Amino acid sequence: MEQYEPDRLSPVVAAAMRRSLQKSRAAATSRRSLLRASAGGALALGGLATLSGCGIPAAGKTSGGVSADDHSAKEKVVNFSNWPEYIDVDDSEKHHPTLDQFRKRTGITVKYTEDINDNDEFFGKIQPQLAAGQDTGRDIIVLTDWLAARMIRLGYVQKLDASNLPHAFANLSDQFRSPDWDPGRAYSYVWQGISTVVAYNKKALDGVEVKSVSDLLDNPKLKGRVGFLTEMRDTVGMTMLDMGKDPAKFTDDDYDAVIARLQKAVDKGQIRRFTGNDYTSDLTKGDFAACVAWGGDIIQLQADNPDVGYVIPESGYLTSTDNMLIPNKARHKTNAERLIDYYYEPEPAAELAVYINYVSPVADVEPYLAKLDKSAATNPLILPDKAMQAKSHAFRSLTSKEETAYQQKFAKLTGA
């Protein structure tokens, strides 16, 4: 990575420009759209018996996945499956500098494949092998929190060896340390975090102040120029926080109250529409004066349009995660753990964060980010400060019954 120089483009802007030149803005950010869209129709994160009853057989005990003979010592390789455009690349677009550095240091070659385009689709691809107790051919997979939880509940992933993860254990940011679906991170470590915020187009606002979800829902000056997301957890979670409820502890009545509030805004024409990742076009054009948005997108949009900005409401914001897991029967578990641990060293963590623009899960990475890009080191969408972390909330796991009921109500609200 190039060192920061004040008179040249920062790596963040340069990376965004390269993505724009290679493909349209909508396509450049489509990974997040696919990821979130797939969550909407997902099977719930219920208990093992519930999941097995839905036709998904468990691999074994939920206290740990099924290991295999570890060939790490003799086979210096890691098979790593991830989402498209979710790792650093060099100017040739053919090499990943952080992976190259890992190979030079350890002698371990990473076979990196961008073969995860949708959570449900990928689960359907590997589930038959896992249920049959077979090797998927992958040593690391990156899955969104709700699917990571399902994999753990089903016993489809291996428990991590903490002795191989000293940097990960020491450097994981506090806000990601103990999700309700993997307390203490026994089975997973965060690849990147995703922040859900309130975004706006300053020109389209024309002097109207936006500080909260209440402003989106209630300010008559924004009627017909407001957007919410088709991802239930983000739209409901942000509205729930605005109403003083905790997305990690809410009840059925709390959920119904949120739906009722959103329905009122729909009925009076306050909300223009519910969108997937295509909100980025509405926001940049000014069709949306303000909307609920994903932080990684906003960084990229700001590289093209200085009118785009965001706010973190006083009530808080939603955080979700993409997570690294080692599936059952993986041949190279120790090598995989070494790679996971490598990305919790500050230098590679900084290089990754500067390029892909999502939230780094690594604590104390700021000085390393500053060497690469001073603006990235002070951008809370990449590196939340303690005040922002304190406002971070996660949407709790859902039972199968809750998932079905909540999605039906949300689909009726959005017209899906």
Side-chain angles (χ1 to χ4, degrees):
M1 299 292 290
E2 295 178 340
Q3 296 299 310
Y4 176 85
E5 295 179 23
D7 59 347
R8 65 192 303 172
L9 291 175
S10 74
V12 171
V13 176
M17 290 180 67
R18 282 197 297 271
R19 287 191 288 268
S20 293
L21 290 172
Q22 291 165 359
K23 56 190 75 177
S24 70
R25 174 65 65 189
T29 56
S30 61
R31 194 205 72 79
R32 176 54 41 201
S33 180
L34 285 168
L35 188 158
R36 292 312 230 163
S38 67
L43 183 66
L45 302 177
L48 181 60
T50 300
L51 289 164
S52 299
C54 292
I56 301 178
K61 298 178 181 179
T62 57
S63 59
V66 181
S67 62
D69 292 336
D70 193 345
H71 299 267
S72 293
K74 293 182 178 180
E75 299 176 6
K76 295 294 186 180
V77 65
V78 174
N79 297 300
F80 186 0
S81 285
N82 204 346
W83 298 77
E85 299 188 55
Y86 212 18
I87 197 170
D88 55 308
V89 298
D90 64 6
D91 290 338
S92 73
E93 304 290 336
K94 296 180 180 179
H95 299 283
H96 306 294
T98 55
L99 293 181
D100 291 343
Q101 292 164 20
F102 177 77
R103 176 182 54 79
K104 291 177 182 177
R105 182 199 299 183
T106 64
I108 299 170
T109 297
V110 180
K111 295 182 178 178
Y112 185 80
T113 307
E114 296 181 337
D115 62 344
I116 305 178
N117 291 302
D118 176 280
N119 279 297
D120 279 329
E121 177 187 22
F122 185 73
F123 180 75
K125 183 189 301 184
I126 64 174
Q127 186 273 331
Q129 295 168 290
L130 292 168
Q134 299 172 353
D135 179 13
T136 66
R138 300 167 176 87
D139 300 306
I140 297 177
I141 53 179
V142 176
L143 302 176
T144 309
D145 42 23
W146 59 268
L147 182 54
R150 185 200 300 180
M151 295 283 285
I152 293 169
R153 299 283 182 93
L154 286 168
Y156 281 172
V157 295
Q158 298 186 54
K159 193 169 186 177
L160 300 173
D161 184 345
S163 67
N164 292 327
L165 297 158
H167 296 98
F169 180 80
N171 295 337
L172 178 62
S173 177
D174 287 343
Q175 72 179 117
F176 299 124
R177 279 199 174 269
S178 195
D180 64 354
W181 48 269
D182 187 16
R185 291 288 177 183
Y187 298 91
S188 68
Y189 269 94
V190 179
W191 176 248
Q192 296 289 284
I194 305 108
S195 298
T196 304
V197 300
V198 173
Y200 60 83
N201 183 311
K202 185 176 180 180
K203 185 176 181 180
L205 282 179
D206 193 26
V208 177
E209 189 174 48
V210 170
K211 291 185 176 181
S212 66
V213 171
S214 286
D215 291 331
L216 303 187
L217 293 172
D218 302 329
N219 191 330
K221 294 181 180 179
L222 298 179
K223 182 177 180 179
R225 299 190 296 136
V226 166
F228 280 78
L229 293 166
T230 52
E231 183 3 66
M232 181 269 286
R233 288 165 175 81
D234 290 298
T235 287
V236 170
M238 289 293 283
T239 307
M240 192 172 288
L241 286 169
D242 188 75
M243 296 173 67
K245 302 294 183 180
D246 186 350
K249 300 177 181 178
F250 66 91
T251 65
D252 288 349
D253 288 343
D254 294 333
Y255 186 89
D256 288 345
V258 170
I259 294 298
R261 187 178 185 203
L262 289 165
Q263 185 65 60
K264 182 179 179 180
V266 169
D267 292 343
K268 67 181 182 181
Q270 184 76 8
I271 298 175
R272 184 182 182 94
R273 66 189 186 106
F274 294 86
T275 72
N277 197 215
D278 48 330
Y279 76 83
T280 56
S281 176
D282 289 308
L283 186 61
T284 54
K285 289 189 299 184
D287 291 340
F288 283 165
C291 63
V292 176
W294 294 308
D297 291 344
I298 301 307
I299 296 174
Q300 295 183 28
L301 294 179
Q302 288 177 324
D304 296 336
N305 188 338
D307 287 327
V308 173
Y310 73 96
V311 295
I312 304 297
E314 284 298 318
S315 59
Y317 69 103
L318 260 291
T319 296
S320 54
T321 55
D322 292 334
N323 310 273
M324 296 177 281
L325 305 101
I326 300 177
N328 287 353
K329 294 298 182 102
R331 286 178 62 88
H332 312 106
K333 182 173 184 285
T334 299
N335 290 346
E337 289 168 339
R338 291 183 69 183
L339 183 60
I340 292 171
D341 194 61
Y342 166 74
Y343 277 107
Y344 276 82
E345 295 180 27
E347 294 92 339
E351 292 189 36
L352 180 65
V354 161
Y355 190 84
I356 64 177
N357 306 158
Y358 286 95
V359 177
S360 175
V362 178
D364 301 323
V365 75
E366 181 178 353
Y368 301 89
L369 273 173
K371 292 179 181 179
L372 300 173
D373 186 335
K374 291 181 180 178
S375 65
T378 58
N379 190 330
L381 293 180
I382 295 176
L383 192 63
D385 56 25
K386 291 184 178 180
M388 184 167 170
Q389 287 184 30
K391 294 183 178 181
S392 171
H393 297 266
F395 200 94
R396 69 171 173 82
S397 299
L398 302 179
T399 66
S400 180
K401 182 179 179 180
E402 286 175 330
E403 182 78 26
T404 299
Y406 292 172
Q407 288 291 357
Q408 287 177 347
K409 292 174 181 179
F410 190 71
K412 183 178 180 181
L413 168 74
T414 61

